[in-house]
Amino acid sequence: STTVTAQSGEIIVSGDGAVNAIPDVMTVSWSVTAESPNAGAAYQMMSDQTLALFSELERIGVPRQDVQTNMLNISERYSQKLERTDGYSATTGIEIRLVDLTKMDAVINIASQDGMGTVRGISFDIADPAPYLMQARKNAVQDAMNKADVLAQAAGQKLGKVLHITEGGQGAMPMPMMDMVRSAKAPIALGNQSVSSSVTITFELVD
Protein backbone atom coordinates (compact mmCIF):
# COMPACT_ATOMS: atom_id res chain seq x y z
CA SER A 1 0.00 0.00 0.00
CA THR A 2 1.04 3.60 -0.57
CA THR A 3 0.24 6.56 1.64
CA VAL A 4 1.36 9.99 0.55
CA THR A 5 0.77 13.21 2.45
CA ALA A 6 2.10 16.46 1.09
CA GLN A 7 2.78 19.28 3.53
CA SER A 8 4.68 22.51 3.12
CA GLY A 9 8.18 21.46 2.11
CA GLU A 10 7.63 17.84 3.15
CA ILE A 11 6.38 14.54 1.77
CA ILE A 12 5.31 11.55 3.89
CA VAL A 13 5.46 8.13 2.20
CA SER A 14 4.86 4.60 3.46
CA GLY A 15 6.90 1.62 2.29
CA ASP A 16 6.55 -2.14 2.61
CA GLY A 17 9.18 -4.85 2.54
CA ALA A 18 9.13 -8.62 2.80
CA VAL A 19 11.53 -11.55 2.71
CA ASN A 20 10.45 -15.16 2.16
CA ALA A 21 12.01 -17.92 4.25
CA ILE A 22 11.48 -21.66 4.63
CA PRO A 23 10.41 -22.50 8.21
CA ASP A 24 12.86 -24.54 10.26
CA VAL A 25 10.78 -25.28 13.38
CA MET A 26 7.58 -27.32 13.66
CA THR A 27 5.19 -27.32 16.61
CA VAL A 28 2.88 -30.32 17.00
CA SER A 29 -0.25 -29.97 19.11
CA TRP A 30 -1.04 -33.33 20.73
CA SER A 31 -3.73 -34.63 23.06
CA VAL A 32 -4.02 -37.77 25.15
CA THR A 33 -7.43 -38.82 26.47
CA ALA A 34 -8.52 -41.72 28.69
CA GLU A 35 -11.98 -42.65 29.92
CA SER A 36 -13.13 -44.70 32.90
CA PRO A 37 -16.13 -45.03 35.25
CA ASN A 38 -13.79 -43.74 37.97
CA ALA A 39 -12.14 -40.29 37.82
CA GLY A 40 -8.94 -41.47 39.47
CA ALA A 41 -8.63 -44.40 37.09
CA ALA A 42 -9.19 -42.16 34.07
CA TYR A 43 -6.47 -39.81 35.27
CA GLN A 44 -4.05 -42.68 35.94
CA MET A 45 -4.66 -44.18 32.48
CA MET A 46 -4.11 -40.80 30.85
CA SER A 47 -0.92 -40.29 32.88
CA ASP A 48 0.44 -43.71 31.90
CA GLN A 49 -0.26 -43.05 28.21
CA THR A 50 1.35 -39.62 28.42
CA LEU A 51 4.49 -41.01 30.04
CA ALA A 52 4.64 -43.65 27.29
CA LEU A 53 4.41 -40.83 24.72
CA PHE A 54 7.23 -38.94 26.44
CA SER A 55 9.38 -42.07 26.42
CA GLU A 56 8.72 -42.67 22.72
CA LEU A 57 9.58 -39.05 21.87
CA GLU A 58 12.78 -39.35 23.87
CA ARG A 59 13.62 -42.61 22.11
CA ILE A 60 13.50 -40.97 18.67
CA GLY A 61 15.61 -38.05 19.85
CA VAL A 62 13.19 -35.28 20.88
CA PRO A 63 14.64 -33.54 23.98
CA ARG A 64 12.35 -33.44 27.01
CA GLN A 65 12.73 -29.64 27.22
CA ASP A 66 11.03 -29.36 23.81
CA VAL A 67 7.89 -31.07 25.11
CA GLN A 68 5.46 -28.97 27.14
CA THR A 69 2.08 -29.68 28.76
CA ASN A 70 -0.34 -26.83 28.06
CA MET A 71 -3.66 -28.27 29.22
CA LEU A 72 -5.08 -30.75 31.75
CA ASN A 73 -8.76 -31.51 32.16
CA ILE A 74 -10.83 -34.08 34.08
CA SER A 75 -14.55 -33.98 33.41
CA GLU A 76 -17.68 -36.06 33.87
CA ARG A 77 -19.27 -37.83 30.95
CA TYR A 78 -23.02 -38.08 30.72
CA SER A 79 -25.41 -40.49 29.05
CA GLN A 80 -27.06 -39.41 25.82
CA LYS A 81 -30.12 -38.13 27.69
CA LEU A 82 -27.85 -36.25 30.18
CA GLU A 83 -29.68 -38.00 33.00
CA ARG A 84 -26.72 -39.51 34.82
CA THR A 85 -22.95 -39.59 34.93
CA ASP A 86 -21.57 -42.08 32.44
CA GLY A 87 -18.00 -42.01 33.71
CA TYR A 88 -15.05 -39.64 33.54
CA SER A 89 -12.71 -38.37 30.88
CA ALA A 90 -9.16 -37.17 31.51
CA THR A 91 -7.37 -35.20 28.81
CA THR A 92 -3.99 -33.53 28.58
CA GLY A 93 -2.73 -31.23 25.84
CA ILE A 94 0.92 -31.24 24.80
CA GLU A 95 3.02 -29.10 22.49
CA ILE A 96 6.08 -30.66 20.87
CA ARG A 97 8.65 -28.25 19.45
CA LEU A 98 10.65 -29.95 16.74
CA VAL A 99 13.84 -28.21 15.67
CA ASP A 100 15.12 -31.21 13.71
CA LEU A 101 12.63 -31.56 10.87
CA THR A 102 14.19 -34.86 9.76
CA LYS A 103 12.32 -36.35 12.75
CA MET A 104 8.97 -35.00 11.51
CA ASP A 105 7.69 -38.30 10.11
CA ALA A 106 8.79 -40.27 13.16
CA VAL A 107 6.97 -37.89 15.52
CA ILE A 108 3.74 -37.77 13.50
CA ASN A 109 3.68 -41.53 13.07
CA ILE A 110 3.70 -42.08 16.85
CA ALA A 111 -0.01 -41.26 16.69
CA SER A 112 -0.58 -44.51 14.77
CA GLN A 113 0.40 -46.50 17.87
CA ASP A 114 -2.41 -47.48 20.26
CA GLY A 115 -2.64 -45.35 23.39
CA MET A 116 -0.28 -42.64 22.16
CA GLY A 117 -2.91 -39.94 21.70
CA THR A 118 -3.93 -37.81 18.75
CA VAL A 119 -2.27 -35.11 16.67
CA ARG A 120 -4.53 -32.05 16.86
CA GLY A 121 -2.58 -29.79 14.55
CA ILE A 122 0.81 -28.60 13.38
CA SER A 123 2.35 -25.21 12.71
CA PHE A 124 5.66 -23.98 11.35
CA ASP A 125 7.87 -21.11 12.39
CA ILE A 126 11.30 -19.58 11.87
CA ALA A 127 13.67 -20.15 14.77
CA ASP A 128 15.60 -16.91 14.25
CA PRO A 129 13.59 -14.37 12.22
CA ALA A 130 15.94 -11.47 13.10
CA PRO A 131 18.11 -11.60 9.92
CA TYR A 132 15.01 -11.80 7.71
CA LEU A 133 13.33 -8.96 9.57
CA MET A 134 16.43 -6.81 9.15
CA GLN A 135 16.35 -7.34 5.38
CA ALA A 136 12.59 -6.71 5.30
CA ARG A 137 13.18 -3.37 7.02
CA LYS A 138 15.80 -2.43 4.43
CA ASN A 139 13.38 -3.38 1.66
CA ALA A 140 10.62 -1.29 3.24
CA VAL A 141 12.87 1.77 3.51
CA GLN A 142 14.00 1.35 -0.11
CA ASP A 143 10.38 0.99 -1.21
CA ALA A 144 9.44 4.23 0.52
CA MET A 145 12.46 6.05 -0.94
CA ASN A 146 11.62 4.87 -4.47
CA LYS A 147 8.02 6.05 -4.15
CA ALA A 148 9.03 9.38 -2.70
CA ASP A 149 11.61 9.97 -5.43
CA VAL A 150 9.08 9.30 -8.21
CA LEU A 151 6.47 11.57 -6.62
CA ALA A 152 8.93 14.38 -5.98
CA GLN A 153 10.17 14.30 -9.57
CA ALA A 154 6.60 14.34 -10.84
CA ALA A 155 6.03 17.47 -8.76
CA GLY A 156 9.17 19.10 -10.11
CA GLN A 157 11.09 18.85 -6.87
CA LYS A 158 13.87 16.79 -5.33
CA LEU A 159 14.10 14.78 -2.18
CA GLY A 160 16.04 16.30 0.65
CA LYS A 161 17.06 14.74 3.93
CA VAL A 162 15.00 12.28 5.92
CA LEU A 163 13.16 14.10 8.70
CA HIS A 164 11.42 11.22 10.44
CA ILE A 165 11.08 7.40 10.22
CA THR A 166 8.41 5.31 11.93
CA GLU A 167 8.20 1.54 11.76
CA GLY A 168 4.76 -0.01 11.54
CA GLY A 169 3.65 -3.63 11.63
CA GLN A 170 6.04 -6.53 11.32
CA GLY A 171 5.81 -10.28 11.50
CA ALA A 172 5.81 -13.59 9.66
CA MET A 173 2.91 -14.72 7.48
CA PRO A 174 2.58 -18.31 6.16
CA MET A 175 2.44 -18.70 2.41
CA PRO A 176 1.80 -21.91 0.43
CA MET A 177 4.83 -23.53 -1.16
CA MET A 178 5.15 -26.74 -3.12
CA ASP A 179 7.81 -28.26 -0.90
CA MET A 180 6.18 -31.48 0.26
CA VAL A 181 7.41 -33.93 2.85
CA ARG A 182 5.47 -37.21 2.81
CA SER A 183 4.82 -39.19 5.95
CA ALA A 184 3.08 -42.51 6.38
CA LYS A 185 -0.09 -40.59 7.28
CA ALA A 186 -0.25 -37.77 4.72
CA PRO A 187 1.92 -35.29 2.83
CA ILE A 188 3.02 -32.33 4.93
CA ALA A 189 3.80 -28.97 3.31
CA LEU A 190 6.57 -27.07 5.05
CA GLY A 191 5.21 -23.93 3.47
CA ASN A 192 6.92 -20.60 3.11
CA GLN A 193 6.78 -17.66 5.49
CA SER A 194 6.97 -14.03 4.54
CA VAL A 195 8.72 -11.89 7.16
CA SER A 196 7.45 -8.36 6.61
CA SER A 197 7.97 -4.80 7.77
CA SER A 198 6.42 -1.42 6.99
CA VAL A 199 7.79 2.07 7.52
CA THR A 200 6.57 5.63 7.18
CA ILE A 201 9.21 8.20 6.23
CA THR A 202 8.98 11.98 6.15
CA PHE A 203 11.29 13.57 3.56
CA GLU A 204 12.23 17.18 3.04
CA LEU A 205 11.38 18.57 -0.39
CA VAL A 206 13.81 20.92 -2.11
CA ASP A 207 13.48 22.92 -5.33
Side-chain angles (χ1 to χ4, degrees):
S1 62
T2 303
T3 301
V4 180
T5 303
Q7 299 179 3
S8 178
E10 296 179 1
I11 185 170
I12 303 173
V13 184
S14 66
D16 301 300
V19 176
N20 291 335
I22 298 175
D24 52 7
V25 176
M26 181 175 78
T27 299
V28 184
S29 297
W30 207 287
S31 68
V32 178
T33 299
E35 297 177 343
S36 175
N38 178 273
Y43 177 76
Q44 187 60 55
M45 291 169 60
M46 181 272 294
S47 297
D48 291 344
Q49 291 174 17
T50 302
L51 289 174
L53 171 63
F54 290 166
S55 296
E56 187 66 12
L57 289 169
E58 209 163 17
R59 184 189 68 79
I60 64 176
V62 178
R64 183 61 65 93
Q65 64 265 26
D66 290 338
V67 181
Q68 183 179 49
T69 300
N70 59 11
M71 185 273 287
L72 179 63
N73 179 64
I74 302 175
S75 59
E76 290 182 290
R77 295 183 305 145
Y78 290 89
S79 62
Q80 291 184 350
K81 295 183 180 181
L82 302 178
E83 295 176 347
R84 60 183 177 81
T85 299
D86 194 31
Y88 294 85
S89 176
T91 301
T92 185
I94 301 162
E95 283 196 352
I96 303 165
R97 180 176 169 85
L98 196 61
V99 296
D100 182 359
L101 296 186
T102 63
K103 294 183 171 65
M104 181 163 50
D105 283 354
V107 170
I108 297 297
N109 288 335
I110 292 175
S112 64
Q113 302 179 35
D114 290 339
M116 288 295 185
T118 304
V119 175
R120 294 298 184 186
I122 62 174
S123 62
F124 294 97
D125 203 356
I126 301 169
D128 183 15
Y132 303 104
L133 180 57
M134 186 66 67
Q135 185 60 51
R137 286 169 173 156
K138 293 178 180 179
N139 294 348
V141 170
Q142 188 62 54
D143 181 47
M145 292 180 67
N146 292 342
K147 292 174 183 176
D149 188 49
V150 170
L151 292 166
Q153 288 185 45
Q157 294 186 298
K158 296 180 180 179
L159 288 183
K161 63 183 179 181
V162 173
L163 301 177
H164 188 70
I165 300 179
T166 302
E167 184 175 20
Q170 58 189 43
M173 296 293 293
M175 296 177 63
M177 175 181 172
M178 297 306 293
D179 188 353
M180 308 296 286
V181 178
R182 296 189 177 275
S183 71
K185 289 283 185 181
I188 296 175
L190 287 179
N192 199 21
Q193 286 194 333
S194 177
V195 181
S196 61
S197 177
S198 64
V199 296
T200 301
I201 305 179
T202 303
F203 295 91
E204 180 185 36
L205 287 177
V206 295
D207 296 329

